[in-house]
């Protein structure tokens, strides 16, 4: 099993907006091929600020990589920018744990694939 965990602290007065946004991402995620589970865990010592953990479990790293390349994941990255403190993004992979460097690697791989001309080398 491959796991993505996002831990984020919502800014004062923003926790419910952030929770609603994450829940709206959970619905389509659960329908994706390879998604084993998707959940939201809340922790607060008062009503605000709130520590939020967003967790996705995937059947394979390839299924996760597809998601990291998706528009849905771009929205997740945008939500991270609204955090009160720097969020923690962790990918538990079969060969260890990675962070944002994993996102950069996967998305750079997508960019390289797009730039390749599929007709190169076949012209006469």
């Amino acid at each position: 099993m491959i796991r993505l965990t996002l831990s984020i602290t919502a800014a004062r007065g923003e926790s419910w907006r952030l929770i609603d946004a994450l829940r709206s991402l959970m619905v389509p995620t659960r329908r994706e091929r390879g998604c084993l589970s998707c959940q939201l865990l809340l922790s607060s010592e008062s009503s605000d600020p709130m520590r939020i953990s967003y967790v996705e479990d995937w059947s394979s790293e390839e299924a996760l990589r597809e998601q990291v390349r998706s528009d849905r994941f771009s929205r997740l990255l945008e939500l991270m920018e609204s955090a009160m403190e720097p969020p923690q993004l962790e990918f538990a992979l079969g060969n260890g744990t990675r962070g944002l460097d994993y996102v950069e690697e996967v998305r750079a791989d997508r960019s390289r694939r797009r730039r390749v001309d599929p007709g190169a080398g076949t012209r006469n």
Side-chain angles (χ1 to χ4, degrees):
M1 178 177 66
I2 307 298
R3 175 169 279 180
L4 172 158
T5 304
L6 170 62
S7 297
I8 188 168
T9 300
R12 182 164 294 288
E14 292 293 311
S15 59
W16 295 110
R17 183 195 64 78
L18 183 59
I19 290 166
D20 286 343
L22 288 167
R23 282 184 177 149
S24 73
L25 291 175
M26 289 173 66
V27 173
T29 301
R30 288 178 173 154
R31 292 189 300 249
E32 290 292 333
R33 182 182 59 82
C35 181
L36 301 175
S37 72
C38 184
Q39 57 188 324
L40 198 55
L41 308 167
L42 310 177
S43 169
S44 179
E45 299 187 6
S46 65
S47 61
D48 250 332
M50 186 174 286
R51 189 75 175 162
I52 302 166
S53 292
Y54 174 82
V55 181
E56 297 177 0
D57 291 323
W58 295 91
S59 60
S60 68
E61 186 175 350
E62 188 51 43
L64 173 64
R65 285 168 101 46
E66 284 181 37
Q67 293 307 305
V68 170
R69 295 179 191 116
S70 73
D71 290 337
R72 180 195 65 82
F73 193 83
S74 295
R75 291 192 302 276
L76 185 64
L77 292 173
E78 290 170 10
L79 288 174
M80 289 172 58
E81 293 177 9
S82 67
M84 188 170 106
E85 301 169 0
Q88 297 173 329
L89 183 63
E90 181 177 284
F91 298 91
L93 308 169
N95 58 354
T97 303
R98 307 267 310 266
L100 276 173
D101 63 313
Y102 183 74
V103 175
E104 293 169 7
E105 176 185 302
V106 170
R107 288 179 156 234
D109 184 44
R110 175 182 70 171
S111 296
R112 282 191 294 274
R113 288 182 189 174
R114 285 185 179 171
R115 282 186 254 147
V116 173
D117 178 5
T122 60
R123 295 185 182 119
N124 292 326

